[in-house]
Amino acid sequence: MPGFSFATGNAKKLAALPLYALGAAASVLVPRADDQWVFGCGSGIGEGSLALFRYARQTDAGLRLTWLARDDRDLATATALGIPAVLKSSRRGLWLALRARVAVVTHGFGDVNRYGLRGAVIVQLWHGIPLKLIQLDSAATTRISVPLLSAQVRGLLRRFYRGGYRAIALMPAASELAASRLRTAFALPADRVVVTGDPRDDVLSSGDPRERAQTARAALAAALEVELGDSRVLLYAPTWRDGEADPAVPTEAEWLRIDAWLRENDAVLIVRPHPNGVGDYAAGIAGSSRIHLLSSSRQSDLTPILSAMHLLITDYSSVAFDYSLTGGPILFIAPDEERYTGSRGLYEPYREFSGGREVRTWTGILDQLTLYDTNAQWAVSVRAHSAALEARHFAFRDGRNTERVYFELTRRLKALQ
């Protein structure tokens, strides 16, 4: 099943331009209520939006907080968590967006109701530290599937995006390095992108590390509906490739080798495709009781269970930054490094991100897993790279990012009164 791509998303945005205009007109007529906030998240009930929702509800009982859900499944999840929610695409969802003083998103304005946001204070809790070029920094953002009109339409889309981003009032960042990338990507002035730490990462820094790992392991087992026992847990989490398939999907022979290694080392492999990614992992999962698929429908937010993982395997995904907060080892597989980095572009050299240890095949990954277990010096260097990623990309590790974001937001709201 094809995943989301910029080309299809942009086509939908162009078709919806009349709705944007109608929403803007409605925003002029409908007054906003200072005590009403709406929240959304492009991947489901979770990420920084959920952290900020919970903190705001705990801190100010006078606020009316509503989650604008993507679908009925999100509505059910919100209900189970005791979160007031309505469908973002419903009339009620549009009305709440029009009335809200504050709108909190993690991916884009479509996380809530994009047509009712003119005049709202928008908090953009971006879903990760950028490695690959994003938004206005990337030519992929304005990709369109109409070649004859490409140049003209892409120019229009760029102005459309830039104009929309001007509505963002606050964008928290994990570090000054991340902030510098977000400022250029969204064409925002320095004072709107603030180094507070990312609320989504508080779950990786709060409390006792051993208790975090136990809680995360229990949540993972529940999501998979399996018994993990004492097995070591490895996570494979590839990035999104704008609708293209994951080139690192193991071959039949590699699946067999992976299964053999997992059995010999009492380990399990969790395959977590990107929610919009494309890749067929069915053969490996069907052929081994130690390989499990963790889809976004089972676990929409990956961050809370990262502490359950003993090791991460990825390519260009920003999950590596988040996982570095656990101190765990990271291995990198990049069979398409030249093509991917050349077409998409990165904010830093790939070898700086990977530590120069990336491999192209699963055979290479299995060799590195064995090396990690048998060569103490090499294992130390792998963990040192994780520590270096954490030091470069996180200004705070105290579990209080959400608190800082909330107080920065309320400070700005008071200044607007």
Side-chain angles (χ1 to χ4, degrees), residues 18 25 38 42 59 101 114 150 154 177 186 189 202 213-214 224-225 230 264 273 290 323 338 353 357 365 390 396 410:
V38 293
T59 305
R101 173 61 60 200
R114 67 174 78 244
S150 180
R154 292 184 75 159
L177 179 58
F186 289 86
D202 279 343
Q214 291 173 347
L224 293 172
E225 299 180 340
D230 295 325
E264 290 169 7
R290 289 183 173 270
Y323 184 72
E338 295 84 0
F353 173 67
R357 288 187 303 274
I365 288 292
E390 178 191 11
F396 302 101
T410 54

Side-chain angles (χ1 to χ4, degrees), residues 227-239:
E227 292 291 335
L228 295 172
D230 295 325
S231 297
R232 191 165 28 156
V233 182
L234 315 182
L235 172 65
Y236 172 54
T239 196

Side-chain angles (χ1 to χ4, degrees), residues 25-310:
S27 296
V28 174
L29 299 174
V30 179
R32 296 195 176 273
D34 290 339
D35 64 343
Q36 192 154 297
W37 295 11
V38 293
F39 295 75
C41 174
S43 60
I45 311 294
E47 304 253 4
S49 282
L50 180 57
L52 187 56
F53 180 98
R54 285 171 165 164
Y55 190 89
R57 181 168 62 177
Q58 173 187 332
T59 305
D60 188 347
L63 291 174
R64 291 183 291 167
L65 312 177
T66 308
W67 195 279
L68 298 189
R70 302 174 304 167
D71 50 32
D72 289 338
R73 184 168 64 86
D74 280 0
L75 280 178
T77 301
T79 299
L81 294 173
I83 296 174
V86 301
L87 286 174
K88 67 179 184 180
S89 57
S90 66
R91 291 183 180 179
R92 181 65 176 164
L94 174 59
W95 175 252
L96 289 170
L98 288 167
R99 288 285 287 152
R101 173 61 60 200
V102 174
V104 181
V105 301
T106 61
H107 291 65
F109 298 162
D111 293 355
V112 286
N113 190 301
R114 67 174 78 244
Y115 308 117
L117 295 184
R118 177 72 65 89
V121 174
I122 299 175
V123 181
Q124 169 57 276
L125 301 173
W126 191 250
H127 52 285
I129 296 170
L131 170 67
K132 54 181 173 286
L133 300 183
I134 61 170
Q135 310 311 99
L136 296 175
D137 287 340
S138 171
T141 302
T142 55
R143 189 169 292 152
I144 191 70
S145 56
V146 188
L148 293 177
L149 299 177
S150 180
Q152 297 88 335
V153 173
R154 292 184 75 159
L156 173 64
L157 282 167
R158 188 171 181 83
R159 291 191 295 273
F160 178 80
Y161 277 114
R162 183 181 287 271
Y165 296 155
R166 282 199 291 268
I168 297 172
L170 176 62
M171 191 168 201
S175 65
E176 184 53 43
L177 179 58
S180 67
R181 297 173 182 180
L182 293 170
R183 288 174 188 135
T184 60
F186 289 86
L188 290 172
D191 64 338
R192 296 195 196 180
V193 184
V194 183
V195 180
T196 57
D198 190 338
R200 69 201 288 272
D201 286 323
D202 279 343
V203 70
L204 298 175
S205 303
S206 302
D208 179 73
R210 188 171 298 177
E211 291 180 2
R212 285 201 304 268
Q214 291 173 347
T215 300
R217 191 177 180 91
L220 174 62
L224 293 172
E225 299 180 340
V226 299
E227 292 291 335
L228 295 172
D230 295 325
S231 297
R232 191 165 28 156
V233 182
L234 315 182
L235 172 65
Y236 172 54
T239 196
W240 175 54
R241 285 177 165 79
D242 192 21
E244 295 186 4
D246 174 13
V249 173
T251 64
E252 183 178 349
E254 286 174 330
W255 281 126
L256 291 173
R257 285 200 62 195
I258 291 169
D259 176 62
W261 191 95
L262 295 172
R263 285 186 284 104
E264 290 169 7
N265 293 275
D266 188 19
V268 297
L269 175 67
I270 310 301
V271 178
R272 168 56 177 228
H274 188 279
N276 292 320
V278 180
D280 186 356
Y281 309 96
I285 294 160
S288 173
S289 62
R290 289 183 173 270
I291 302 174
H292 305 283
L293 179 69
L294 183 65
S295 65
S296 58
S297 62
R298 285 184 174 268
Q299 180 74 29
S300 62
D301 187 356
L302 185 61
T303 309
I305 61 171
L306 287 180
S307 294
M309 310 302 174
H310 294 82

Side-chain angles (χ1 to χ4, degrees), residues 320 323-332 351-357 372 375-393 397:
Y323 184 72
S324 73
L325 286 167
T326 72
I330 309 171
L331 302 182
F332 298 86
R351 291 179 67 82
E352 190 172 305
F353 173 67
S354 68
R357 288 187 303 274
Y372 183 83
N375 187 319
Q377 185 175 356
W378 196 80
V380 167
S381 71
V382 172
R383 287 188 175 273
H385 180 63
S386 294
L389 286 177
E390 178 191 11
R392 286 188 68 226
H393 293 281
R397 305 164 189 83

Side-chain angles (χ1 to χ4, degrees), residues 12-14 16-25 114-115 118 160:
K12 291 178 180 178
K13 283 186 173 65
L14 291 172
L17 286 177
L19 295 178
Y20 283 98
L22 289 172
R114 67 174 78 244
Y115 308 117
R118 177 72 65 89
F160 178 80

